[in-house]
Amino acid sequence: MSFPLLTATAALPAIGAIATAAVPAAKRTAAKWLALLFSLATLVLAIVVLVRFDPDGDRYQLTESHAWIPDFGVRYELGVDGIAVALIALTALLIPFIVLAGWHDADPLETGNKRWRPTQGFFALILAVEAMVILSFEATDVFLFYIFFEAMLIPLYFLIGGFGDRAHEHGEETAATQRSYAAVKFLLYNLAGGLIMLAAVIGLYVVAGNFSLTEIAEARADGSLDMATSTERWLFLGFFFAFAVKAPLWPLHTWLPNAMQESTAPVAVLITAVVDKVGTFAMLRFCLGLFPEASKWATPVILVLAVVSIIYGALLAVGQRDIKRLIAYASISHFGFIIMGIFAMTSQGQSGATLYMVNHGISTAVLMLIAGFLISRRGSRLIADYGGVQKVAPVLAGTFLIGGLATLSLPGLAPFVSEFLVLVGTFTRYPVIGIIATLGIVLAALYTLVLYQRTMTGPVKPEVAAMPDLRVREIAVVTPLVVLLVFLGVYPKPVTDVVNPAVKHTMSDVQKKDPRPEVEAAK
């Protein structure tokens, strides 16, 4: 039996979570280093998966399949395509930086009621989320995917509610109440989506007789599985609803601004740069893969919702007073671009959407982590409480500007390439949708530059006059991510070479071909 590389990649952070949680409370520094060690070891395994993967080989590679619950056709079945490999690499890359950035976020907190924040629990929960996200990307059994798609809500609930941001203008008691509200709202929204998906998962088993993606695809190909049109549409809606909540897509997005506002900056990055990608990934793998005809049927409505997300998220970002809420609404706008690219049903759109998932993860991590460092110094999330920071902390201001420019998709930085591909892929099939979506680019420039102007430029406010610049640990967190933003901005080929063959398979699932150019090439 070959080495179960995919299982090991997901199991290592799970083992790390258990080991970190078992560290005595008095040894919190040891818990931090242990979590960092396991996250780096997981990154090494993710690199091995990336190296072992052959983009021109079989669709699903490094496969593992074992009987699990045979009476119900449930198998422990794993496999990765190019899209999954890229997102596993993104997840494994970001977690060590999340751990480093949150190095002091869960240090003991003593207030009037002597509350205690268990440091080892904070880092154990982060590793637990990583394990479940990686398994979600690897699972080719629908039921196995569903289990981890839902299970990751538990550690995230405690990360939001139990280890929230300490910066609050109304004191710790109000902050605790708002953290609890954000955690419960996050849980209820995602549980509602998950319960609807569970009904669809059961319905899929009734129709197909198993949960295996590969077996269902083979049954469709040889004609032994023929879903009724209405059945396929209802099942599609059940899956899509859950993924649209996770993504999040307007109007199912309202949990995200609260969750990101009340979380620490590293946890906010974990949510929007890592966990939310499971929703958009699942749209490609499960919605388009299992229900191709229903996906085409729903495309016009989904594209409209995606465009609304783009414009709505950007408009609300413009008017935000809170730095974290601004970044949250910007992310909602960016997820609109990703979903638009997926359902444009063109190879450029879907390649751009997958590349956007990777690039958005990196750019959001840079911007949110720098914002977190800024907030920890001043003790406030309000934009109005800052001014002139670039004069007292130029390195912090410079990296914040790079993160902001990446967010507005400046040419030369990674998100530009992916956003361009999404817009080109959408315009070739749905020109009106593509034209309207470009308004999101204009609004992104507005909210990003206004944020920078109000916080970093102008007279130095007395409260920030003594603000220290980035420390060595913080520079170590953001520097590799900034380098990646520039590298993938000028040379995205390493990612596109991995994801393009998988996109071709997805296009084949829905039996779509790219539109012919209106102007033929000269002979």
Side-chain angles (χ1 to χ4, degrees), residues 275-472:
V275 172
D276 287 353
K277 300 302 187 300
V278 177
T280 47
F281 163 80
M283 291 178 188
L284 280 165
R285 173 169 281 191
F286 296 102
C287 287
L288 272 60
L290 292 172
F291 316 110
E293 294 303 319
S295 297
K296 290 185 283 188
W297 162 77
T299 287
V301 174
I302 294 173
L303 287 176
V304 170
L305 294 177
V307 170
V308 171
S309 285
I310 292 169
I311 307 303
Y312 172 87
L315 282 173
L316 265 66
V318 171
Q320 291 305 306
R321 299 169 56 247
D322 184 295
I323 297 174
K324 287 186 176 181
R325 288 184 74 88
L326 186 152
I327 298 173
Y329 280 110
S331 290
I332 291 168
S333 182
H334 296 149
F335 275 103
F337 277 108
I338 294 170
I339 295 169
M340 184 177 74
I342 292 171
F343 285 90
M345 301 293 182
T346 60
S347 57
Q348 300 100 325
Q350 292 186 356
S351 293
T354 305
L355 186 60
Y356 212 146
M357 293 185 219
V358 176
N359 292 338
H360 172 264
I362 300 170
S363 62
T364 299
V366 172
L367 187 61
M368 180 58 84
L369 291 178
I370 292 294
F373 298 151
L374 179 69
I375 292 167
S376 67
R377 285 159 165 74
R378 173 67 176 85
S380 173
R381 302 189 299 249
L382 298 180
I383 296 172
D385 288 342
Y386 296 89
V389 173
Q390 67 180 11
K391 296 178 182 178
V392 297
V395 177
L396 187 154
T399 50
F400 190 78
L401 178 61
I402 293 172
L405 293 176
T407 298
L408 63 81
S409 299
L410 182 77
L413 297 176
F416 169 76
V417 182
S418 44
E419 195 166 284
F420 179 78
L421 284 173
V422 166
L423 288 170
V424 169
T426 303
F427 186 83
T428 56
R429 197 181 293 279
Y430 303 98
V432 175
I433 294 291
I435 291 170
I436 297 173
T438 57
L439 180 58
I441 302 174
V442 179
L443 293 172
L446 179 60
Y447 63 68
T448 300
L449 296 178
V450 168
L451 172 65
Y452 184 84
Q453 179 191 34
R454 292 178 177 174
T455 55
M456 301 295 162
T457 66
V460 179
K461 290 200 172 184
E463 295 83 1
V464 304
M467 180 177 289
D469 212 336
L470 291 184
R471 303 178 178 91
V472 173

Side-chain angles (χ1 to χ4, degrees), residues 20-101:
T20 303
V23 174
K27 304 286 186 180
R28 62 176 182 272
T29 302
K32 297 174 184 179
W33 283 106
L34 190 62
L36 181 61
L37 177 64
F38 271 98
S39 66
L40 290 172
T42 304
L43 176 58
V44 171
L45 282 184
I47 293 172
V48 174
V49 170
L50 184 61
V51 171
R52 290 275 305 274
F53 182 79
D54 178 10
D56 298 318
D58 295 337
R59 180 171 188 176
Y60 295 115
Q61 299 178 33
L62 306 175
T63 55
E64 302 173 30
S65 183
H66 307 282
W68 185 21
I69 313 175
D71 291 342
F72 294 98
V74 180
R75 299 185 63 81
Y76 177 79
E77 194 171 86
L78 307 179
V80 289
D81 60 4
I83 298 170
V85 166
L87 294 176
I88 290 170
L90 171 69
T91 302
L93 172 71
L94 290 180
I95 295 300
F97 297 115
I98 288 172
V99 170
L100 267 178

Side-chain angles (χ1 to χ4, degrees), residues 6-7 9-14 17 42 46 78-80 83-95 98 124-140 144-156 159 186 190 246 267 269-282 285-286 357:
L6 297 186
T7 295
T9 307
L12 194 58
T42 304
L78 307 179
V80 289
I83 298 170
V85 166
L87 294 176
I88 290 170
L90 171 69
T91 302
L93 172 71
L94 290 180
I95 295 300
I98 288 172
L125 291 170
I126 290 174
L127 291 176
V129 172
E130 180 183 20
M132 294 174 190
V133 168
I134 290 175
L135 267 173
S136 297
F137 291 141
E138 295 174 346
T140 55
L144 180 67
F145 167 83
Y146 173 78
I147 288 175
F148 292 103
F149 180 80
E150 287 293 278
M152 69 180 71
L153 302 180
I154 299 170
L156 284 168
L159 283 170
F186 159 81
N190 284 273
K246 183 83 77 179
V267 173
V269 171
L270 182 66
I271 293 169
T272 191
V274 176
V275 172
D276 287 353
K277 300 302 187 300
V278 177
T280 47
F281 163 80
R285 173 169 281 191
F286 296 102
M357 293 185 219

